[in-house]
Amino acid sequence: MKTVILKPSDENIALCAEAINGGKTVAFPTETVYGLGASAYDTKAISEIFRVKGRPNDNPLIVHVASADAINGLVREVTPLAEKLIARFMPGPVTLVLKKSKSVPDQVTAGLDTVGVRMPSHPVCVKFLRACNVPVAAPSANTSTRPSPTCAKHVLGDLAGRIPYILNGGHCEVGLESTIVDVSGAVPKLLRAGGISRDEIAEACGCEVEIAASGKVALCPGMKYKHYSPKAEVYFSAYYSGMAAGIAMQYDALTSAGKNPVILCTEKNAGYYGTRNVYDMGADYRDYAHNLFYMLRKADADNFDSVIAEGVPSDGIGAAIINRLVKSSGGKII
Ligand code: AMP
Ligand code: MG
């Protein structure tokens, strides 16, 4: 199968929607990362997503809709907490976990009694979802374990020959996956940090947000797997006042061992590293998040065998950056 990257014209959006309704999988842009979608009601097409990605089948998919009304048909109850978060953050980079209705196949939720629902804001995605006229179940459009794709070329790099179309919506604005909040009960639980912070969720809910404990029960099954890994070895620095000096030392130790590293750093620190290889991640932590997966893939393309990522403060979007880098480094914290 030849995989084509399509410009987001009305004709191409209609073509992609037709493919979805015809039982095919299609990659599409969102403001977080690119998704690999299929009709949420088509169990054969859903199995194809798992096959194409090499995704473990106990890892559920998020269901994407074009309007808040469409959520009603997917869940047993839109709880008061869900109503608050829908009003404040949808469309936007948040996924709500609610008790699922019978219409959602078990394949989508990997057998869970709950479903993750999301209403993206990316204008191409909104047009695509409207044209599909069915809820679209989608995980990120990477092969399992790889960094999530934030541009059409990255999807092609992972899935060429395995899907017919990639709808091109440019570079994803947020660059990290959605914040996932379980609002099926009386207390909101943060299952995955993302573009919207825990404080923002708490403020909108008017109460504290629990952080889901990673106990025996996989509350957010996807978070237990190896994730976000480029070919290069990733080292992640703690955030402290002497961080740049510590990173420079690690860099020099790697080069002495014959390695070819690159440092991911904020713009203000770039000068500190002298002639060492750096990727400038931008002026603030929103930029850092936006560039993170892109730069992890660029490191491979530029033949760096090691990446040292600067640490970030843990508030705001920092929590999501830390979560992804702890996973992509496999816990190699310096
Ligand atoms: P991805 O779209 O690749 O980021 O994967 C979807 C993420 O959403 C995975 O980490 C899943 O575990 C999580 N997810 C989807 N549905 C649910 C649900 N019903 N309960 C908890 N987590 C979910
Ligand atoms: Mg994913």
Side-chain angles (χ1 to χ4, degrees):
M1 178 189 308
K2 184 164 166 47
T3 304
V4 193
I5 296 182
L6 297 172
K7 283 194 203 116
S9 63
D10 288 350
E11 297 75 44
N12 286 339
I13 288 172
L15 182 68
C16 289
E18 232 171 78
I20 293 283
N21 281 285
K24 303 248 174 5
T25 62
V26 172
F28 62 98
T30 79
E31 69 279 16
T32 59
V33 300
Y34 276 71
L36 177 62
S39 163
Y41 301 138
D42 186 332
T43 52
K44 232 175 123 193
I46 297 295
S47 319
E48 179 65 4
I49 289 182
F50 284 89
R51 196 189 66 78
V52 158
K53 272 184 63 98
R55 184 176 178 96
N57 56 13
D58 66 349
N59 191 0
L61 311 183
I62 291 170
V63 180
H64 297 70
V65 292
S67 73
D69 279 353
I71 296 174
N72 295 324
L74 299 170
V75 305
R76 289 214 285 280
E77 185 202 357
V78 177
T79 59
L81 285 174
E83 269 168 15
K84 287 181 182 167
L85 296 184
I86 290 168
R88 179 71 71 92
F89 299 116
M90 288 197 178
V94 67
T95 296
L96 302 183
V97 168
L98 288 161
K99 294 264 186 273
K100 83 174 191 75
S101 72
K102 285 207 179 78
S103 70
V104 181
D106 287 339
Q107 282 89 339
V108 170
T109 64
L112 294 177
D113 185 36
T114 53
V115 60
V117 290
R118 172 158 135 66
M119 185 178 154
S121 62
H122 191 299
V124 174
C125 182
V126 174
K127 278 190 177 177
F128 164 69
L129 291 173
R130 284 202 184 120
C132 288
N133 206 25
V134 284
V136 172
S140 50
N142 50 290
T143 45
S144 237
T145 82
R146 298 273 297 145
S148 302
T150 55
C151 64
K153 260 194 185 163
H154 288 171
V155 181
L156 189 69
D158 278 16
L159 300 181
R162 296 193 234 176
I163 59 173
Y165 306 127
I166 302 168
L167 188 57
N168 194 350
H171 286 262
C172 302
E173 191 187 328
V174 179
L176 298 181
E177 304 84 348
S178 59
T179 304
I180 305 183
V181 198
D182 182 335
V183 283
S184 62
V187 180
K189 294 191 190 89
L190 186 70
L191 302 185
R192 177 174 73 186
I196 294 173
S197 71
R198 182 186 179 189
D199 287 349
E200 289 173 286
I201 301 282
E203 209 236 324
C205 290
C207 62
E208 283 293 301
V209 176
E210 274 181 19
I211 298 203
S214 48
K216 274 189 213 137
V217 181
L219 292 167
C220 184
M223 299 310 279
K224 71 181 184 232
Y225 289 109
K226 182 176 187 283
H227 247 114
Y228 319 123
S229 313
K231 294 194 186 78
E233 287 277 311
V234 179
Y235 300 84
F236 181 37
S237 174
Y239 182 70
Y240 59 103
S241 58
M243 173 176 80
I247 288 175
M249 266 174 61
Q250 174 74 13
Y251 182 105
D252 296 344
L254 285 167
T255 50
S256 299
K259 299 283 187 186
N260 183 26
V262 62
I263 299 167
L264 310 188
C265 66
T266 49
E267 193 180 289
K268 69 174 179 354
N269 287 349
Y272 184 91
Y273 299 109
T275 56
R276 296 176 184 89
N277 300 310
V278 298
Y279 288 156
D280 181 345
M281 302 295 278
D284 59 27
Y285 298 115
R286 290 255 152 219
D287 290 346
Y288 193 123
H290 170 80
N291 289 318
L292 180 58
F293 288 144
Y294 185 88
M295 291 304 193
L296 288 177
R297 284 177 181 258
K298 180 170 163 61
D300 285 345
D302 291 346
N303 292 315
F304 290 112
D305 55 22
S306 322
V307 172
I308 312 173
E310 280 190 344
V312 301
S314 61
D315 58 334
I317 189 117
I321 296 173
I322 292 170
N323 169 278
R324 305 310 189 271
L325 275 167
V326 166
K327 284 180 187 293
S328 88
S329 66
K332 287 191 290 301
I333 315 290
I334 60 165

